[in-house]
Amino acid sequence: MPIIRITVPLLIFLFSVFFFSFPIHSEEIRSFQSNIYIEKDGTINVEENIEYDFEAAQRHGIYRDIPLRYDYGYKKYSVKLDVESVTDFNDSTYIYNVSKSGGWANTRIGDPDRTISGIHGYRIKYSVRGAVTFFEDYDELYWNVTGDEWRVPIQNAGANIYFDEDITDGVKAACYTGVRGSENQDCNYEINNAGVKFTTLNSLGGGEGLTIVVAIPKGIIEEPSSLSKSLWFISDNWYFGLPFLTFFTLLYFWNTKGKDPEGNGVIAVKYEPPEDISPAEAGTLIDERANILDITSTIIDLAVRGFLKIEEIESTKFFFFTDRDYKLLRTQKTDEALKFYEEKVLSGVFKGKETIMVSELRNKFYTELPGIKKALYMELINKRYFPTNPENVRRIYKWVGIGAMILGFFLIGIFALGFSIGVSGLIVLIFSRYMPRKTKKGSLKNEELLGFREFIERAEQDRIYRLAKEDPTLFDRVLPYALVFGLEDKWAGAFKDMYKEPPDWYHSANYGSSFSPNIFVSDIGRSLGVMNSTLASTPRRSGGSGLSGGSSSGGFGGGGGGSW
């Protein structure tokens, strides 16, 4: 008995909580009928007749959401939708507001200062362009009639498709019901000359919808031109055009700001180095880049001019294997003024000493390189061969490109957009090497250098013999230029029968009766290789690295709605 006294009130309490926690009314759509008119130009005019039962709920009206953008794999597609009118079934106008944002068209119907309940009819008329898809054998309307985002059940749904003209043959149809992705076909359709009629067989629950497919024979609807399709595609998928836009924009910038001005247009052979330009400056001007070879060629050029001497040191390291090092000895020559970058090379190499081993510069000299390169660029800018520092131009484009690649490939979550931005960054990075430019004066000097390079490349022995007879220093003076041009072997070969004594600025214990220009150039090349790798070396850093296949809610249209 005591148990019953406790249990009965408890059950009554729980039942009351359960019962009164839910509303005693339930909204629903009694009927959702859509009339769709397919025009000859592919526009569809839609008339939705929605009979909405608010029951006892106090609401202002309903809202209808329809998507404007659709994803097909990595591509996007959009339709153009215009709401023309919203009335009741007696054609009395409702207060409504249409807003488009985030790829959706939202139509809010009702008076915000008035509430309603019970059954109300809504007739929404709107036009859509771009909803008809054109295939090789037929054209198709794939349309989500009701949408699958209504929170209330739909007791009855249907659609009537009307053509602009009677079609006697070739029309095909299909319909689907249920939640998004469902392949249920709990619906019927009937094809006649005027169009197709679709009806659901049972009610649709919240989150379920009716989707229809109509295949129309070719020629009934006018297919847009290829240009119109392309422009439509570009407007929907503009990011696919971003790499092309980037390419042509940079091509324009290169043509107007990065392309070298035209010179005389004629490369005439020059038999003497162009005036007022050193080997390092020549190498930098030609490829618009101050590299380590240009700097080490400066060491050779300074040696030729008597500012230092190079001595080859050979030592046995293991059994019969040998290793070569090079001693640099600074002379006391002061009768010729040095350029600023040449002074920086000498001071960076010797650091106040009289002699230095190249091996002692390993992992140390690299700190001098930025200053030397900057001074070398400034020398060419002061001579008006470059309008600005080419390295700075390259650096700006380089970091913009790298930044875009990092943003696109790693930070943007939308694959297609990220990929397009990343590829655009790669294009900027590639263009970065071509954006520095010469001045008009620089282009003319570049033509002179190319003419001088042609002289070295041809290496005509008869002409060289006459020139060398007039100027015994010809081999030494031209050698640094041949080194930056990559033609040292050609130059040495032209002197094989003339150059019998080693120069006083380069010493090797191997020289004796066996000296020849080819052996000497081979030794110079080896010393340059050692200098290049040594002067550019940096300390190691610690750390490690490391019409089939359809479904409900497919196609265009769709969305949903609710009350507010």
Side-chain angles (χ1 to χ4, degrees), residues 315-324:
S315 61
T316 301
K317 289 291 185 182
F318 182 72
F319 289 108
F320 53 86
F321 294 103
T322 61
D323 190 20
R324 285 183 174 86

Side-chain angles (χ1 to χ4, degrees), residues 251-546:
L251 192 63
Y252 171 77
F253 283 160
W254 173 80
N255 192 53
T256 56
K257 299 181 182 301
K259 185 179 179 182
D260 292 340
E262 292 185 2
N264 292 324
V266 178
I267 306 298
V269 179
K270 300 288 183 182
Y271 302 105
E272 284 284 331
E275 294 181 3
D276 192 33
I277 190 163
S278 68
E281 294 167 32
T284 302
L285 182 63
I286 285 178
D287 61 10
E288 299 172 344
R289 187 183 299 272
N291 53 42
I292 192 65
L293 178 60
D294 299 324
I295 293 170
T296 49
S297 72
T298 300
I299 295 176
I300 303 298
D301 183 48
L302 290 171
V304 170
R305 288 156 53 193
F307 287 94
L308 61 92
K309 295 180 182 293
I310 303 172
E311 183 178 343
E312 182 180 315
I313 307 296
E314 187 174 289
S315 61
T316 301
K317 289 291 185 182
F318 182 72
F319 289 108
F320 53 86
F321 294 103
T322 61
D323 190 20
R324 285 183 174 86
D325 199 354
Y326 298 88
K327 180 189 292 185
L328 305 181
L329 302 93
R330 185 163 187 173
T331 65
Q332 301 301 315
K333 180 175 180 178
T334 57
D335 60 342
E336 180 184 340
L338 290 172
K339 298 172 182 176
F340 184 53
Y341 76 89
E342 294 174 332
E343 290 178 353
K344 290 186 72 67
V345 169
L346 283 177
S347 63
V349 167
F350 289 101
K351 295 287 187 183
K353 300 179 181 179
E354 295 298 322
T355 64
I356 188 91
M357 300 297 293
V358 169
S359 59
E360 295 178 46
L361 301 174
R362 184 175 300 277
N363 300 335
K364 296 178 182 177
F365 189 79
Y366 74 96
T367 59
E368 307 289 338
L369 292 178
I372 295 172
K373 289 181 179 181
K374 183 178 180 180
L376 181 52
Y377 285 130
M378 286 306 302
E379 183 70 26
L380 292 167
I381 292 170
N382 292 336
K383 291 178 178 178
R384 292 184 293 126
Y385 294 148
F386 287 137
T388 187
N389 190 324
E391 196 63 41
N392 292 342
V393 175
R394 268 190 300 271
R395 188 178 293 115
I396 291 171
Y397 282 93
K398 172 186 172 182
W399 286 112
V400 169
I402 291 174
M405 290 174 66
I406 293 173
L407 178 66
F409 291 141
F410 301 104
L411 299 182
I412 292 182
I414 304 172
F415 176 81
L417 177 60
F419 182 78
S420 296
I421 293 176
V423 171
S424 298
L426 179 61
I427 293 172
V428 175
L429 188 62
I430 292 172
F431 262 87
S432 66
R433 63 182 299 181
Y434 302 106
M435 297 310 291
R437 67 177 303 182
K438 304 175 182 70
T439 61
K440 176 73 172 181
K441 183 179 179 182
S443 293
L444 292 171
K445 185 63 67 173
N446 187 63
E447 286 182 344
E448 290 185 50
L449 289 170
L450 293 178
F452 181 52
R453 185 184 188 281
E454 189 171 343
F455 159 64
I456 298 173
E457 189 169 18
R458 288 183 182 181
E460 299 172 354
Q461 284 194 320
D462 291 343
R463 183 180 298 276
I464 288 175
Y465 180 79
R466 292 196 301 273
L467 292 172
K469 200 168 183 180
E470 297 173 4
D471 180 11
T473 67
L474 179 67
F475 179 84
D476 288 357
R477 286 195 305 110
V478 174
L479 178 60
Y481 293 94
L483 289 169
V484 296
F485 294 152
L487 298 173
E488 62 273 14
D489 291 330
K490 282 259 188 182
W491 188 242
F495 283 81
K496 62 182 179 180
D497 296 326
M498 292 181 280
Y499 202 42
K500 300 296 185 181
E501 296 293 330
D504 59 359
W505 53 268
Y506 191 94
H507 175 74
S508 172
N510 296 325
Y511 294 162
S513 59
S514 61
F515 176 81
S516 75
N518 295 89
I519 294 174
F520 171 62
V521 166
S522 176
D523 289 342
I524 287 290
R526 188 183 300 109
S527 68
L528 270 180
V530 173
M531 290 184 198
N532 287 342
S533 61
T534 301
L535 300 185
S537 64
T538 59
R540 290 186 179 181
R541 296 181 180 180
S542 60
S545 62

